[in-house]
Amino acid sequence: EQAVLETVLPAPAEESNSTDSAKAPKVNCEERNITGIDRFTLHILNVSQDLMEFLNPNSSDCTLVLFYTPWCRFSASLAPHFNSLPRAFPTLRFLALDASQHSSLSTRFGTVAVPNILLFQGVKPMARFNHTDRTLETLKDFIFNQTGIEAKSDVAVTEEDWEGPLPSVLTKGIDWLLLFSLLFLASFVMYATVRTESIRWLIPGQEHEHQE
């Protein structure tokens, strides 16, 4: 089933006419109990894991999910900033998945380009991060504006965040979606050219004009 994100996005116009409503959270997230948790880190789904297994349909807790590919330079530059988010928001959950390995999920949630960041409440996508400047600060602002949850002030991007768990170094790979698109386009152009040539010979007068 195709997920419809637009119906749950916050209303436009930034609600500038009302100071109180602008400060109210747009997504009322249930903060998880962090008692006994010493290390807050990002979880990356492998090819056999399904995103729905990590989202609780019976809860109103929130999860920030990143769709990325290891050979996308924008994903690589975002990686250290996204790796630091679990420490900034320990009461929220953070997941990442390789969009090329989870094509069905990418289609379901409208991932046409990576990196793509969605805020889920339970299993429902609530908002999409659309800022072109993908840094820790813009991500913290996005989460605060949507949920009203403030980030820990002492969190910054560290050398460990550059090392993982999300890779910040590009890996060699083939963008199969782009390759398929180029092959489809080339095939269509060839078909259209042959088809046009065939139709031209069926038009009266075209054959004589060609002979002259």
Side-chain angles (χ1 to χ4, degrees), residues 2-18:
Q2 178 71 31
V4 180
L5 185 66
E6 289 73 19
T7 58
V8 293
L9 280 172
E14 298 295 327
E15 299 181 356
S16 57
N17 295 331
S18 174

Side-chain angles (χ1 to χ4, degrees), residues 82-94:
F82 203 85
N83 286 334
S84 65
L85 280 176
R87 302 195 310 277
F89 298 91
T91 59
L92 301 179
R93 297 194 303 163
F94 296 87

Side-chain angles (χ1 to χ4, degrees), residues 24 28 50 55 73 95 111 117 128 153 160 164 189 199 202 209-211:
N28 189 16
D50 185 6
L55 302 177
R73 63 185 181 92
L95 301 174
T111 301
I117 302 173
R128 190 189 308 272
S153 58
E160 291 184 355
V189 171
I199 294 175
L202 297 177
E209 181 180 346
H210 178 74
Q211 292 177 353

Side-chain angles (χ1 to χ4, degrees), residues 63-85:
T63 306
L64 203 67
V65 180
L66 167 65
F67 293 76
Y68 77 100
T69 55
W71 57 82
C72 169
R73 63 185 181 92
F74 298 107
S75 297
S77 62
L78 166 66
H81 303 274
F82 203 85
N83 286 334
S84 65
L85 280 176

Side-chain angles (χ1 to χ4, degrees), residues 68-187:
Y68 77 100
T69 55
W71 57 82
C72 169
R73 63 185 181 92
F74 298 107
S75 297
S77 62
L78 166 66
H81 303 274
F82 203 85
N83 286 334
S84 65
L85 280 176
R87 302 195 310 277
F89 298 91
T91 59
L92 301 179
R93 297 194 303 163
F94 296 87
L95 301 174
L97 56 92
D98 187 340
S100 63
Q101 296 180 349
H102 297 82
S103 56
S104 60
L105 287 174
S106 299
T107 303
R108 179 176 180 179
F109 296 113
T111 301
V112 295
V114 291
N116 184 31
I117 302 173
L118 295 179
L119 175 67
F120 283 80
Q121 185 175 39
V123 296
K124 189 176 183 181
M126 302 299 291
R128 190 189 308 272
F129 179 81
N130 291 318
H131 207 293
T132 54
D133 184 20
R134 306 178 185 92
T135 64
L136 175 59
E137 293 305 317
T138 57
L139 289 167
K140 289 195 298 186
D141 290 342
F142 167 75
I143 295 174
F144 175 73
N145 292 334
Q146 296 295 328
T147 67
I149 300 175
E150 294 188 4
K152 289 185 174 296
S153 58
D154 59 344
V155 174
V157 179
T158 65
E159 292 184 4
E160 291 184 355
D161 294 323
W162 284 92
E163 296 175 359
L166 196 66
S168 59
V169 179
L170 290 176
T171 59
K172 294 182 179 180
I174 300 175
D175 192 337
W176 293 106
L177 181 60
L178 177 60
L179 181 60
F180 175 78
S181 300
L182 292 175
L183 291 175
F184 176 80
L185 180 61
S187 301

